Amino acid sequence: MLFRSAAPMPPVWVGGASTGALRRAVRYGDGWLSGLQPPEEFAASRRQLFELADQAGQPRPRTGVGLHAALGPRPGPELKRRTVAALQTAYGLPADRAEQVAVAGTPAQVAEQLNRYVAAGAELIVVVCDPEPTPESWELLAEARHLVRCGA
């Protein structure tokens, strides 16, 4: 006898930016989650994902991006440096690549950066606050989120 869960299966999101990862997202996922891509690359990968879905006769997966961010109440280069350092340490990214994908600044500056991903087609944005989240960083992220939702 086969038992089924009373709860519905949650959506499955598949990550990665390689062509193989995009194919897996089309075949097995409800959504695709990019990471470590600047908005222009995210948009290009999203287009490729949709082409693969169309070719396979599959529904187009939802799209999202995972980002690392450092937020502060005042602008300053130290915020970007913290996120770049965290990306280099966690993922071994070269400094120039980490600079391209690091999100940092005041809530308004972060919202502007997140809006670039929204414009590129992101339906979901996952944010890790660097180097370690604090109650202040979550409050600032909530402010940035509000600005993104309002079209800042």
Side-chain angles (χ1 to χ4, degrees):
M1 177 175 214
L2 179 65
F3 291 98
R4 296 188 189 253
S5 171
M9 175 69 180
V12 173
W13 287 67
V14 177
S18 69
T19 299
L22 297 175
R23 283 192 177 106
R24 286 187 291 277
V26 166
R27 186 167 182 190
Y28 303 112
D30 300 299
W32 166 68
L33 189 67
S34 168
L36 307 178
Q37 285 187 306
E40 302 77 23
E41 283 182 26
F42 170 81
S45 292
R46 183 176 179 269
R47 284 190 299 275
Q48 183 182 8
L49 174 77
F50 287 177
E51 289 171 8
L52 292 168
D54 293 347
Q55 290 168 5
Q58 295 290 327
R60 291 177 170 185
R62 297 185 66 201
T63 58
V65 62
L67 302 169
H68 286 252
L71 290 98
R74 291 171 303 286
E78 74 283 348
L79 292 171
K80 182 92 167 200
R81 281 195 295 268
R82 284 195 329 214
T83 303
V84 167
L87 289 166
Q88 289 179 288
T89 300
Y91 301 104
L93 291 183
D96 61 334
R97 182 62 173 191
E99 282 277 340
Q100 290 179 327
V101 299
V103 175
T106 64
Q109 291 170 325
V110 168
E112 182 180 322
Q113 293 165 70
L114 298 182
N115 274 325
R116 293 178 61 213
Y117 287 95
V118 172
E123 299 171 70
L124 172 76
I125 299 175
V126 178
V127 177
V128 175
C129 287
D130 289 320
E132 291 182 19
T134 65
E136 179 187 43
S137 63
W138 294 121
E139 291 296 325
L140 293 169
L141 182 58
E143 188 178 332
R145 177 180 183 245
H146 174 74
L147 293 171
V148 170
R149 294 177 114 191
C150 294

